[in-house]
Amino acid sequence: MTETAPDGLAVVGAALLARARRDAEDEAAEARASADATLARARAQADEIVAAARAQGAADAAAALSGERSRTLREARARVLRAEREAYDELRRRALADVTALLDRAGPEVRARLVREAAARLGPGAEVRPGARGPTAVAGLRRLTLEPERLVDRVIEGLGPELAGLWSP
């Protein structure tokens, strides 16, 4: 009997050892599977975070670009308006200088003609006052001044859309 007992213990020990190895291998396999699953979830989450960051970055860049584009367009429009205003002012300045010089050289017959024109435009009963720079006619609440500045302004206003053509391509 003494001989079978150690053999029996060896068999039981071997069985326990085999069982412990299988359990350890199973637990190791489960741990590897759990680690792989955790790693896969972490990678998926990281991919989602990176994709969200890219999308947010693209949205931020688009918003910044849109804002920059709007600012650039406003600045360009302001430059165009300044240039048009400078062209308008220069046109008016030159026209005024030319009309003033013309009236100064024209003499009394042109001034008399302007007085008649002012009276004719406002009709009978208009009171016309000759001025140093041109006549002013008044009839009731209506008033007409034919000074060089007014003449130039009326001509320029009369150009309307044609005026914009002076500086449009």
Side-chain angles (χ1 to χ4, degrees):
M1 279 204 193
T2 54
E3 247 179 73
T4 44
D7 286 339
L9 281 177
V11 170
V12 170
L16 285 173
L17 185 59
R19 172 75 180 199
R21 284 186 180 142
R22 278 193 311 272
D23 287 348
E25 287 172 5
D26 289 346
E27 285 183 27
E30 284 178 24
R32 278 192 298 275
S34 177
D36 289 346
T38 300
L39 187 57
R41 283 193 304 274
R43 284 185 179 139
Q45 188 177 14
D47 289 345
E48 288 174 8
I49 290 170
V50 167
R54 280 189 182 129
Q56 184 62 47
D60 290 348
L65 180 61
S66 176
E68 183 64 21
R69 184 178 296 131
S70 294
R71 186 188 63 75
T72 301
L73 289 174
R74 279 191 308 275
E75 285 178 7
R77 180 67 180 146
R79 283 187 192 122
V80 167
L81 291 174
R82 274 193 304 275
E84 288 177 356
R85 182 64 197 192
E86 288 171 8
Y88 174 87
D89 289 345
E90 180 64 13
L91 170 69
R92 187 178 184 281
R93 186 191 64 73
R94 286 182 182 185
L96 182 57
D98 289 348
V99 168
T100 301
L102 180 67
L103 290 175
D104 287 345
R105 286 191 313 264
E109 68 278 351
V110 172
R111 291 189 185 280
R113 197 163 132 200
L114 284 174
V115 167
R116 287 191 306 274
E117 178 69 22
R121 285 198 183 181
L122 290 187
E127 178 188 336
V128 180
R129 293 178 228 135
R133 297 185 49 91
T136 298
V138 177
L141 296 177
R142 297 184 319 151
R143 177 185 188 99
L144 175 67
T145 302
L146 296 181
E147 294 175 346
E149 291 85 1
R150 301 290 186 180
L151 294 171
V152 168
D153 288 342
R154 280 199 180 99
V155 168
I156 290 174
E157 286 171 13
L159 290 173
E162 294 173 30
L163 182 63
L166 296 176
W167 47 74
S168 295

